[in-house]
Amino acid sequence: MVTDRHAHPMTYTDADAVRHYEQALDNLLFFRAEAATEVGAALDVSPRSAMGNVFRAYLGLLGTEEKDAAEAATAFGTFRRDVSPAGLTPRERMHVEAASAWLDGDMHEAGRILAGLVVTYPKDALALAVGHQIDFFTGDAVLLRDRIGGALSAWDRDDAHYGLLQGMYAFGLEEAGHYDLAERVGLEAVERNARDVWGIHAVVHSYEMQGRHEDGIRYLDARTDHWATGNYLNVHNWWHYALYLLETGRTDQVLAVYDAAIHHDGSSGAAMELLDAAALLWRLHLAGADTGERWPALADAWARRNDGAHYAFNDVHAVMAYVGADRLSDAQKLIRERESWVRTVDPRHPGLSNAAMTADIGLPVCRALVAYGQRRYAETVDLLLPLRRRFQDFGGSHAQRDALQKTLVEATLHAGYHDLGRTLLSERINLRARCPYNQDALARLTRRTSTAGVD
């Protein structure tokens, strides 16, 4: 039986298919679109390849696209009917179980299976990469750090993938609050692989969370040729660039980046790109900036998707677009559809991750965004305040979820809840004293309390 580069046996896979599999893995780790092409080539050569079929299933899930997931489920079902698990290796069976769990809607169980897999097979780069993304989608900062950290010592530092694992580890360190270490590990990862866009992304996050926006701009400017094109993460890293510009007061440049790189007529319409666009325009909306006709175009893009209940994090950003475009009826329609869906979920199927994400976080956040759009600020506060330390339960990063934290701050200020506003801003300032937004919001609060005659 042939093996991959780390001596893992590959069932029903010939040597040529393994070569395509390894190239697909490289492309996945560098976020290149060619990953799907190489997996397809591996399956053309070896249609019953266990790892080839598993890889194709993961690719159908990683984009959080409902239609892609459905197609992946159909193809994987055919594979499972044709290939008995008894003929697979223990590692391959665990991959099949993980892919099946996720295709069935249970991201958390898929992540648990992959975590167990890498205890025994710590050099399974596919299991580590997919598990890492699941941790991101479920907002588990501790596992983002420890899933990779627990395997890293088993790797040789001169392994071609070692630096790419460092990039993942750096992001986990950042999300878990280890900003200095995240920066050091991320910089080393990018030194090893200049086009490690996830490693670049980790460094960018570490600067964002420390309020080091000018450092972030300089870092990205110095590496534009390595991250700005030719990978699935380029729009997201442009989004980070725009956040830096926004925090430093360069609104015109923010809109120029939005138009050139984040959302325009040639954009793909992928959910992950549209949510970046919505998150950026929402921050501008909170700041009272004029965004021209961008909201209606973005709302149209979300409406064309006609998504069902698949990932609550995406739903929230669709609602941002509808509220920003003053299409409140579309926002309320989405909310009603998700409310109806939650009621139909079989309570005997507790493993449907998106059900809890939607019911517990997604729906109340969507309602809060609508309330904010209608200037019902006290209601916005009532909806968001109980959730502010639980937003991670429906995925994303601290930087992404900060749009919701800022919505809460702004609603608090508009509602005249001065004591609560002072408390929220004190929390933010003591974490990120260098963040201009925090200082500006505090200055606004101070002016309001002074005008009202409050100490």
Side-chain angles (χ1 to χ4, degrees), residues 102-229:
W102 194 356
L103 288 166
D104 285 342
D106 196 340
M107 277 193 285
H108 295 87
E109 177 64 12
R112 285 190 287 268
I113 293 168
L114 291 173
L117 189 157
V118 298
V119 170
T120 306
Y121 308 100
K123 299 178 81 171
D124 187 329
L126 182 63
L128 289 167
V130 172
H132 184 66
Q133 291 300 316
I134 288 173
D135 298 335
F136 177 40
F137 296 148
T138 57
D140 193 328
V142 173
L143 265 179
L144 269 170
R145 179 192 66 195
D146 293 346
R147 184 186 300 271
I148 306 301
L152 201 57
S153 296
W155 287 69
D156 298 326
R157 292 182 65 87
D158 59 357
D159 189 291
H161 287 163
Y162 182 83
L164 297 166
L165 290 174
Q166 283 185 302
M168 294 182 219
Y169 188 45
F171 182 57
L173 288 168
E174 176 274 319
E175 286 297 290
H178 310 285
Y179 302 133
D180 291 341
L181 183 57
E183 179 185 356
R184 292 200 302 273
V185 174
L187 290 173
E188 183 178 340
V190 178
E191 182 67 23
R192 287 172 175 268
N193 294 287
R195 295 186 180 275
D196 179 2
V197 292
W198 194 253
I200 290 171
H201 167 257
V203 175
V204 166
H205 267 269
S206 73
Y207 292 152
E208 170 69 23
M209 297 308 295
Q210 297 174 81
R212 294 168 56 189
H213 304 109
E214 294 291 355
D215 288 342
I217 290 171
R218 284 190 291 270
Y219 182 75
L220 288 174
D221 279 344
R223 292 159 181 81
T224 303
D225 290 345
H226 296 146
W227 63 265
T229 58

Side-chain angles (χ1 to χ4, degrees), residues 39 52-62 68-69 72-73 76 99-100 102-103:
V39 169
N53 279 280
V54 162
F55 204 147
R56 180 171 62 184
Y58 289 147
L59 290 179
L61 292 159
L62 286 167
D68 290 348
F76 202 64
S100 298
W102 194 356
L103 288 166

Side-chain angles (χ1 to χ4, degrees), residues 179-426:
Y179 302 133
D180 291 341
L181 183 57
E183 179 185 356
R184 292 200 302 273
V185 174
L187 290 173
E188 183 178 340
V190 178
E191 182 67 23
R192 287 172 175 268
N193 294 287
R195 295 186 180 275
D196 179 2
V197 292
W198 194 253
I200 290 171
H201 167 257
V203 175
V204 166
H205 267 269
S206 73
Y207 292 152
E208 170 69 23
M209 297 308 295
Q210 297 174 81
R212 294 168 56 189
H213 304 109
E214 294 291 355
D215 288 342
I217 290 171
R218 284 190 291 270
Y219 182 75
L220 288 174
D221 279 344
R223 292 159 181 81
T224 303
D225 290 345
H226 296 146
W227 63 265
T229 58
N231 62 83
Y232 277 133
L233 207 63
N234 68 316
V235 170
H236 186 65
N237 278 332
W238 274 117
W239 175 78
H240 277 286
Y241 193 94
L243 287 191
Y244 291 146
L245 293 172
L246 180 59
E247 286 285 1
T248 53
R250 289 172 260 188
T251 304
D252 289 348
Q253 293 181 48
V254 172
L255 292 174
V257 169
Y258 180 93
D259 292 339
I262 295 177
H263 189 67
H264 46 75
D265 289 343
S267 293
S268 70
M272 287 190 173
E273 295 186 3
L274 293 184
L275 71 84
D276 282 338
L280 182 58
L281 289 188
W282 187 259
R283 284 168 169 81
L284 289 165
H285 177 65
L286 294 175
D290 181 4
T291 56
E293 293 302 308
R294 293 172 180 83
W295 274 125
L298 182 60
D300 285 343
W302 276 107
R304 283 193 294 271
R305 291 181 54 81
N306 194 29
D307 288 326
H310 185 66
Y311 187 40
F313 196 75
N314 294 350
D315 292 339
V316 162
H317 290 82
V319 168
M320 282 182 187
Y322 294 142
V323 173
D326 199 26
R327 288 167 53 169
L328 295 179
S329 61
D330 288 332
Q332 290 163 337
K333 178 175 179 287
L334 188 152
I335 290 170
R336 288 194 302 272
E337 289 174 349
R338 297 303 179 263
E339 288 171 339
S340 177
W341 175 75
V342 167
R343 287 194 297 269
T344 65
V345 173
D346 187 344
R348 294 169 298 178
H349 184 31
L352 189 61
S353 295
N354 191 50
M357 289 176 166
T358 300
D360 297 345
I361 310 295
L363 277 169
V365 168
C366 287
R367 296 181 191 116
L369 295 173
V370 170
Y372 191 91
Q374 295 177 322
R375 300 185 179 182
R376 293 183 283 113
Y377 300 119
E379 183 178 342
T380 303
V381 174
D382 288 344
L383 286 164
L384 294 182
L385 188 63
L387 300 177
R388 69 191 182 104
R389 294 191 177 94
R390 294 184 55 210
F391 289 143
Q392 69 274 9
D393 290 351
F394 84 144
S397 66
H398 293 301
Q400 289 175 309
R401 296 186 300 266
D402 198 44
L404 305 181
Q405 302 288 359
K406 287 182 175 179
T407 302
L408 174 59
V409 170
E410 293 300 325
T412 299
L413 298 184
H414 285 304
Y417 295 161
H418 297 148
D419 290 343
L420 177 59
R422 184 165 49 247
T423 299
L424 295 174
L425 287 169
S426 179

